[in-house]
Amino acid sequence: MAKYLVVVESPTKVKTLKKYLGKGYEIIASKGHVKDLPDKTLGVDVNNNFNPEYVVIPGKEKILKSIAAEAKDADAVYLAPDPDREGEAIAWHIASEIDIPKEKIWRVLIQEITQKGVQEAIKHPSTLDCKRYESQQARRILDRLVGYKISPILWKKVRRGLSAGRVQSVAVRLVCEREKEVRAFLAEEYWTILTSLSAKQPPVFAAKLHSADGKRVGKELKIQSQETAYALKSRIENGGSIIVEKVARRERKKNPVPPFTTSKLQQEAFRKLGFNVKRTMSVAQSLYEGVDLDGEGPVGLITYMRTDSTRISNEAVDFARKFVEKRYGVEFLPEKPVLYATKRQTVQDAHEAIRPTMIEHHPDSLIKVLTKDQHSLYKLIWNRFIACQMKPALYDQVTIDLSTDKGTIGLKTTGTRLVFKGFLEVYEEGHDEIQRRADDVEGVDSEEADNFDDKSELLPQLEVGETLKFREVTTDQHFTQPAPRFNESSLVKELDEKGIGRPSTYATILSTIVDRGYVKKVDNHYEPTALGEKVNELLVQAFPEILSILFTAEMEDSLDKVEEGSVDWKKVLQKFYKPFAEQVSVAEKNMINVKQAVEPTNIKCDRCETGLLQVKWSSQGEFLGCSNYPKCRNSREFTRTKEGNVQIKEVQISEHKCPKCNKHMVVRNGRYGEYIACIDYPKCPTVKSPESDITCPEKGCSGNLVMRKSRSGKTFWGCTNYPSCQYALWDKPIKEVCGNCGFTILTEKTTKRYGTRKICPACKTSTAAESSSADG
């Protein structure tokens, strides 16, 4: 019989720990949580200090029995679930089920699954952390109270089967509010004016109009019409010589970014690798739990991947600095170790940042033993960790002020030259993450930092007073853009910056709001569904505090303080529950029942001609239905005027006639895109695929390619003969023959890097698409 029992969460750790700990240790995996609140009842006594009722999770009885049996004969029991709140709860629940003296039970926090990491953790165990457990318990009870109290109201008022979550509902609100911004946005026209110039020495360069008559472009001076742009263009063209007024040279430093926290890893893996949050965490988990490198069992390659901290151990810093000096030379090594301040000073700072466990495991040496996903993510973590202990990148920046038209017109241009790569030799952060801030670029105020461009063109050597040759002036028309809809990276960033939830829960949050049908993914970004918008509207009205971003962030801080021991968990729940219970009571009575709610109109039903059309609501959104329903099942789409009045949406008549009743077919919108239905639908239930002039390229197929939407909301193009023909494309097909292989269609794809290009699906030949310019 083993002298010591070690209990871990994941079965994949069992073999590794046995190898590292040797004989005398029995290792058992709990396979996650073993106890939880009951499924079918609230499980919380709100009248008795929120006492929770925990039950053994179905299927875990055998595991708990095995742990209890081994524990009875062990000299000590080491509870080693993951080193976070959830792991602490697992440890406490296991401890409550084994009948041995408390002094024989120890808590072990394994930050890295390496021989040294495991053995050190066992040598320095601690007692169970009551405060960390209470913090997790308070969070679980809060989520249970919100879910079990609000969800039944949604069942009654909206649709059976709906649910509400304390943090997920706030995430849905963020998506809904961003969508409102996009819809309400009114684009404004503006113009930019560039002047092409040459000096005594090459190269030719461009300067941008910066001011006119003492007014700065974009601030005091708005160029919002072609007329204004052309007038300014004329002044430059006819304003005489262009003179160099000022030459300012500065050294710029771009500092390395900190090592990864969970949130930053999720964001960067999405930007650089295309991983969604769930995929990132799954791959990171496998790297943490271990990979078999040499046939002798798994080795953990990264530290624990759920952390808010940017702290690195002294030993890890020393390893990184030695590697930098050896690989890149002393000129890349800072005089002192680089330290990073953690954004939120919470108890989660007990962990290190995400880093490689052993510097000798270079990514290049692991290509053959890691999967493609593992290698990509490990390389990302490795490079960022090494780069954080390297010198800043250095730039020479030259800003040139020029004038014409007797000094009343000001032009400006900036050239930046990289003179020392520093940390950029190893790692450069994703483009949508680079922030031009004073704390990122040294010696730059906030406004200048916004204009800092490390990719700008080189400029010739210029002297004050020098006269430049005028070549041409171009004007470009632009329109302001709304805030972009959230993608996974930007939504994670928003949640993290606003303190909503914790990075360890982001994967669950994002998958839950999609699975519940409140949010859909469209072309890799999030949009609220009609159901999501309606539920959000009702919840914001009925529970303004619960759906408040500030309140949710403050609750996270309170839970952190519970873990720190400065706040009692029961007081947190008491402060929350009384006003919440009152809001629940009011919502049960006053929340609008959208199942029954109708908005009357004076529009006569065009089918039965006796009823009036009414605005009704379904999970697909608002529609017009007849007041004689169910006798008359007429339904129509509608729009609203600026004054809010209802107007029937004009039906788009198809060229085709219904094959059953010979009436016109009309274009309708459905859950998965457009389709064609008989104008007498549902009386005549004839439905066909939408029209298309792009013939399916599959041999022997007579169908056409039409736009559709997947269940997750992503747009694709598929054959109208589906399922007999399953030909499909993600990119938009165009009716054009490939000049290289003769394939009957091409696709059109737009990327930031290459712009819009035409690509052959068969031979992958790529050519630039034609583009137009607003150049004057």
Side-chain angles (χ1 to χ4, degrees), residues 53-92:
E53 174 198 343
Y54 289 112
V55 298
V56 175
I57 296 172
K60 294 299 180 74
E61 298 88 351
K62 186 176 180 180
I63 292 175
L64 279 174
K65 186 177 180 181
S66 175
I67 292 172
E70 290 289 342
K72 282 185 178 180
D73 298 321
D75 292 342
V77 175
Y78 297 105
L79 300 177
D82 288 349
D84 56 15
R85 288 171 179 163
E86 296 302 316
E88 199 66 36
I90 294 171
W92 274 80

Side-chain angles (χ1 to χ4, degrees), residues 155-200:
W155 284 35
K156 183 179 178 181
K157 307 285 187 176
V158 185
R159 192 180 76 189
R160 188 171 180 82
L162 296 180
S163 59
R166 181 180 62 87
V167 179
Q168 292 91 336
S169 296
V170 179
V172 173
R173 180 177 184 175
L174 289 173
V175 175
C176 289
E177 291 184 348
R178 177 59 59 86
E179 189 66 22
K180 285 182 181 178
E181 289 180 42
V182 172
R183 293 173 185 169
F185 180 81
L186 297 176
E188 293 185 6
E189 180 182 6
Y190 71 99
W191 291 69
T192 55
I193 302 173
L194 289 175
T195 303
S196 180
L197 303 166
S198 59
K200 297 174 183 177

Side-chain angles (χ1 to χ4, degrees), residues 7-39:
V7 182
V8 294
E9 275 188 58
S10 172
T12 60
K13 297 178 185 176
V14 172
K15 184 178 178 181
T16 307
L17 264 65
K18 280 186 176 179
K19 180 180 74 171
Y20 292 153
L21 296 176
K23 295 180 179 180
Y25 287 87
E26 178 65 26
I27 320 294
I28 298 179
S30 70
K31 298 181 180 179
H33 281 275
V34 293
K35 297 174 77 173
D36 198 3
L37 300 174
D39 285 337

Side-chain angles (χ1 to χ4, degrees), residues 403-608:
S403 68
T404 185
D405 198 3
K406 298 179 181 179
T408 60
I409 294 290
L411 307 174
K412 187 184 284 283
T413 186
T414 299
T416 306
R417 182 171 64 93
L418 179 64
V419 296
F420 176 65
K421 291 189 74 172
F423 76 97
L424 294 177
E425 186 75 34
V426 178
Y427 183 85
E428 184 169 7
E429 199 168 23
H431 292 301
D432 64 342
E433 179 69 5
I434 295 176
Q435 299 180 21
R436 307 305 186 193
R437 303 175 307 183
D439 61 353
D440 184 49
V441 186
E442 289 185 12
V444 188
D445 61 30
S446 297
E447 185 176 323
E448 286 178 321
D450 289 337
N451 296 325
F452 178 75
D453 185 2
D454 55 8
K455 302 291 191 301
S456 62
E457 62 182 329
L458 292 176
L459 299 176
Q461 291 289 331
L462 298 174
E463 301 295 333
V464 173
E466 184 175 346
T467 300
L468 305 179
K469 289 184 179 181
F470 168 85
R471 297 175 71 91
E472 65 173 334
V473 181
T474 57
T475 59
D476 289 298
Q477 182 188 37
H478 310 274
F479 292 92
T480 55
Q481 299 293 318
R485 292 182 173 94
F486 289 114
N487 58 29
E488 285 215 6
S489 173
S490 58
L491 185 52
V492 163
K493 185 177 180 181
E494 189 81 357
L495 293 169
D496 186 42
E497 290 183 347
K498 292 188 180 300
I500 299 169
R502 283 293 177 259
S504 59
T505 66
Y506 292 161
T508 301
I509 292 170
L510 268 56
S511 62
T512 298
I513 62 178
V514 173
D515 293 343
R516 288 179 177 173
Y518 296 148
V519 168
K520 61 184 177 182
K521 268 191 173 181
V522 180
D523 298 331
N524 220 21
H525 64 253
Y526 289 114
E527 293 182 17
T529 62
L531 175 64
E533 290 186 279
K534 179 58 68 174
V535 169
N536 178 66
E537 175 190 333
L538 296 174
L539 293 182
V540 169
Q541 290 174 354
F543 304 96
E545 192 171 61
I546 301 300
L547 271 288
S548 162
I549 293 168
L550 179 60
F551 174 83
T552 306
E554 288 175 346
M555 184 59 71
E556 293 295 343
D557 288 339
S558 295
L559 294 171
D560 285 342
K561 289 175 181 177
V562 170
E563 187 167 347
E564 293 166 357
S566 59
V567 174
D568 183 80
W569 70 278
K570 294 176 183 177
K571 289 184 178 179
V572 171
L573 294 175
Q574 288 165 357
K575 183 179 179 181
F576 163 82
Y577 187 70
K578 185 176 180 181
F580 172 66
E582 292 173 355
Q583 290 176 342
V584 168
S585 179
V586 172
E588 288 174 337
K589 298 175 183 177
N590 298 341
M591 184 183 284
I592 297 172
N593 190 327
V594 296
K595 293 179 181 179
Q596 302 171 1
V598 296
E599 178 186 338
T601 75
N602 295 320
I603 304 172
K604 195 174 183 179
C605 178
D606 57 339
R607 179 171 297 167
C608 71

